[in-house]
Amino acid sequence: MHTGWMPHQEQAARPDRAPAGRSMSDAILDSAAVLFSRRGYHAIGIRELADSVGLSTSTLYHYYATKQDILYAVIGRFLREFADTLVAGLRDTSVPPRARLERAVTDHVVLTVTRREELLAGNPVLNALTAEQQAGIAALRRSYREAVRDVIAEGTATGQFQVTDPLLTAMAMLDMLDGIRAWYHEDGALSLDELAARYRAFALSLCQAGEA
C-alpha cells in the first residue's frame, strides 16, 4: 500500500550496532516508540534518542532529519503493517464475511496488545505532525474502516448479519476495539486469547443490531 511517505533513506548505516535481525532504522523506531509511549513525545530529545540506540546525534540525523520525522515513521510503520495485514484479510472474498470479520477482530486485539507502545495514532501528539503527515495517517485508518464497513455490508447482503448502517456499525466496532489499549493488562483477569474471544462475540453482536 502506497501511503505517501517513507522514512528517510538510511545513510552511513551501522548495522553492527543494531539488534540482530533489525536494521538500525528499525532499532531507532523501536526505541523511540517505547520512549514516546512511556514518557511523552515532547519530553524526549534527540540526544536521548541517539543514546538509546548507541549513536551520536549526528549519525542519528543520517537516518531521520528531525524528531518529528521519527514520530511520523513510528506511527506510519505500525499503521502500514496493521492495515496491510487486516485489509487484505477483510477483502479476501474466498472466505465468508463472518469468518473474515472474526479474523480481523482477533488480529486487531492481538496487535493492539502486543504492539501497544507504537499506538500513538490516537494521541494528541499527532498535533506535532504536519497536515500532510496527518492526512497520510488518516488515509490508512480510513482504508481499514472502509474494509470493515464493506465486509459488514457484504455479510448483511448475504443474510449473515442484520445491519441497517454498515459504516456506523464499523465505526462503533473500531471504537470498541481501539479502547482496549486504555485498560487491558496482560497480567489481568483475561488472557489475550480470552480477550479476543470476548471481542469477537461483541463484534458479532453489533452485526445483529439492525432492525428486523
Side-chain angles (χ1 to χ4, degrees):
M1 179 189 304
H2 179 68
T3 63
W5 81 82
M6 288 292 291
H8 286 266
Q9 292 295 315
E10 294 183 8
Q11 301 175 32
R14 295 167 63 180
D16 56 305
R17 302 293 297 277
R22 303 290 281 170
S23 70
M24 180 54 74
S25 180
D26 277 332
I28 292 167
L29 300 187
D30 291 344
S31 184
V34 172
L35 291 170
F36 293 161
S37 176
R38 295 181 181 178
R39 292 174 47 205
Y41 170 76
H42 296 291
I44 305 300
I46 285 291
R47 181 177 297 278
E48 185 170 1
L49 286 169
D51 288 345
S52 71
V53 288
L55 298 177
S56 67
T57 54
S58 60
T59 301
L60 180 64
Y61 284 129
H62 285 301
Y63 294 93
Y64 297 99
T66 67
K67 187 174 74 164
Q68 182 186 55
D69 287 343
I70 296 173
L71 173 66
Y72 189 35
V74 168
I75 299 171
R77 180 183 66 170
F78 175 78
L79 287 182
R80 282 195 301 274
E81 294 176 15
F82 186 94
D84 286 349
T85 298
L86 275 71
V87 170
L90 285 164
R91 297 208 178 280
D92 181 3
T93 56
S94 68
V95 178
R98 172 172 171 155
R100 275 183 268 160
L101 187 66
E102 288 185 296
R103 181 170 62 190
V105 169
T106 299
D107 289 343
H108 191 133
V109 170
V110 170
L111 287 169
T112 294
V113 171
T114 60
R115 297 180 65 178
R116 177 180 296 154
E117 287 174 327
E118 295 172 79
L119 287 173
L120 302 171
N123 192 300
V125 77
L126 283 184
N127 293 331
L129 301 179
T130 67
E132 182 180 1
Q133 289 170 337
Q134 291 182 41
I137 290 167
L140 272 181
R141 293 172 65 84
R142 185 167 57 250
S143 72
Y144 176 41
R145 182 176 65 242
E146 289 173 351
V148 174
R149 175 202 64 192
D150 291 348
V151 81
I152 292 172
E154 185 181 340
T156 300
T158 59
Q160 294 182 52
F161 302 148
Q162 187 69 44
V163 169
T164 55
D165 188 335
L167 177 58
L168 184 61
T169 304
M171 292 170 66
M173 190 178 299
L174 296 180
D175 281 347
M176 175 183 72
L177 290 164
D178 287 342
I180 291 170
R181 64 185 174 192
W183 63 268
Y184 181 75
H185 295 282
E186 292 88 334
D187 57 355
L190 291 174
S191 69
L192 184 54
D193 287 344
E194 290 169 332
L195 181 72
R198 297 280 184 93
Y199 272 76
R200 285 195 299 271
F202 296 154
L204 292 175
S205 293
L206 280 173
C207 289
Q208 300 300 331
E211 296 178 2

